[in-house]
C-alpha cells in the first residue's frame, strides 16, 4: 500500500478526533504521514498500530505517539475499539526555546500508572475536550496548556534514550 500524505485545515494548530471504529473512516487509518505530531490514546478495546518499522498492539489506556513525518497506520481489525487522536503542530513544543526530545512511540498503560501520571493525563484530556469547542476568551491558550502538559509528562517519563536534544 502506498502511503498518503494527510493535510488538514483547522481553526487552531491542533485537532482532536474521537473515533469509534465505524466503517466509513477505516481507509483513513492506512499507512500515511503528516507534518503534525499525533498522540493516540486507546479508550476501549485493542488496536494495532504501526509507527515507522515497529508494530504495536495497544490496549485500553495505552498511548501511541507519532512524531512529525513518521509513517504510521492504525489496524482496527482487532475488534471494536475506541480511540482519541490529538494531532498538533510541533511548533507548539519547539517554540518553547529548546529542541524537545523524542517521546517513545508506545507507552503502556501499566507504565503510565507506574509513573503515577494517570490522573494528570486524564485531567488534561478532559480539559482538552472542554476547550476544543469553547468560544470563551483564551480557550486556545488553555487548550495548548493542557496539550503541553501531556507532552511534558510523556517526555519526563518516556523520552527515548537521546537526552542530548534539550531539557525543558
Amino acid at each position: 500500500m502506498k502511503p498518503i500524505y494527510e493535510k488538514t485545515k483547522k481553526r487552531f494548530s491542533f485537532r482532536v478526533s474521537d473515533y469509534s471504529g465505524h466503517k466509513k473512516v477505516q481507509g483513513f487509518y492506512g499507512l500515511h504521514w503528516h507534518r503534525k505530531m499525533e498522540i493516540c490514546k486507546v479508550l476501549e478495546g485493542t488496536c494495532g498500530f504501526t509507527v515507522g518499522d515497529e508494530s504495536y498492539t495497544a490496549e485500553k489506556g495505552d498511548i501511541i505517539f507519532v512524531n512529525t513525518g513518521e509513517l504510521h497506520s492504525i489496524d482496527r481489525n482487532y475488534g471494536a475499539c475506541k480511540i482519541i487522536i490529538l494531532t498538533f503542530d510541533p511548533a507548539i513544543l519547539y517554540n518553547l526555546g529548546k529542541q524537545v526530545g523524542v517521546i517513545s512511540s508506545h507507552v503502556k498503560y501499566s507504565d503510565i500508572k507506574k509513573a503515577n501520571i494517570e490522573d494528570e493525563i486524564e485531567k488534561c484530556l478532559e480539559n482538552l475536550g472542554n476547550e476544543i469547542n469553547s468560544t470563551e476568551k483564551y480557550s486556545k491558550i488553555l487548550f495548548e496548556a493542557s496539550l503541553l502538559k501531556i507532552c511534558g509528562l510523556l517526555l519526563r517519563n518516556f523520552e527515548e534514550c537521546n537526552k542530548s536534544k534539550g531539557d525543558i
Side-chain angles (χ1 to χ4, degrees):
M1 176 187 291
K2 183 179 177 184
I4 61 168
Y5 170 71
E6 180 185 338
K7 184 177 179 185
T8 58
K9 291 183 178 180
K10 297 291 174 190
R11 182 176 74 147
F12 297 132
S13 57
F14 42 77
R15 180 178 73 185
V16 178
S17 305
D18 185 350
Y19 295 104
S20 300
H22 35 86
K23 291 181 181 177
K24 74 176 192 178
V25 296
Q26 283 188 350
F28 173 80
Y29 294 107
L31 192 60
H32 68 284
W33 68 276
H34 39 76
R35 291 188 177 115
K36 307 270 189 198
M37 291 180 153
E38 184 170 296
I39 298 173
C40 304
K41 182 172 185 206
V42 180
L43 302 175
E44 297 174 10
T46 304
C47 297
F49 287 84
T50 299
V51 180
D53 294 333
E54 298 292 323
S55 294
Y56 308 98
T57 299
E59 299 175 347
K60 181 179 178 178
D62 286 3
I63 293 175
I64 300 293
F65 188 86
V66 181
N67 285 291
T68 182
E70 279 189 302
L71 283 174
H72 60 285
S73 65
I74 302 172
D75 179 3
R76 301 177 61 84
N77 294 324
Y78 283 68
C81 73
K82 185 174 183 179
I83 58 176
I84 189 166
I85 301 173
L86 303 161
T87 57
F88 58 95
D89 189 329
I92 292 172
L93 298 177
Y94 298 138
N95 286 341
L96 297 174
K98 291 184 179 181
Q99 188 176 4
V100 177
V102 176
I103 298 171
S104 296
S105 293
H106 183 198
V107 179
K108 291 186 172 286
Y109 178 67
S110 58
D111 293 332
I112 292 169
K113 283 185 78 162
K114 198 181 302 179
N116 203 26
I117 59 172
E118 173 188 17
D119 291 340
E120 288 181 89
I121 287 178
E122 289 302 321
K123 182 65 177 166
C124 288
L125 288 171
E126 181 182 327
N127 290 342
L128 291 171
N130 292 336
E131 298 299 335
I132 190 69
N133 295 316
S134 175
T135 57
E136 292 185 50
K137 288 173 76 173
Y138 308 114
S139 59
K140 181 178 177 182
I141 292 171
L142 294 170
F143 185 97
E144 287 185 10
S146 292
L147 180 60
L148 286 171
K149 185 166 185 178
I150 290 171
C151 291
L153 289 166
L154 292 173
L155 281 163
R156 178 183 287 164
N157 293 281
F158 306 107
E159 184 178 19
E160 288 188 347
C161 295
N162 190 357
K163 303 274 185 186
S164 64
K165 290 188 173 185
D167 194 46
I168 294 180

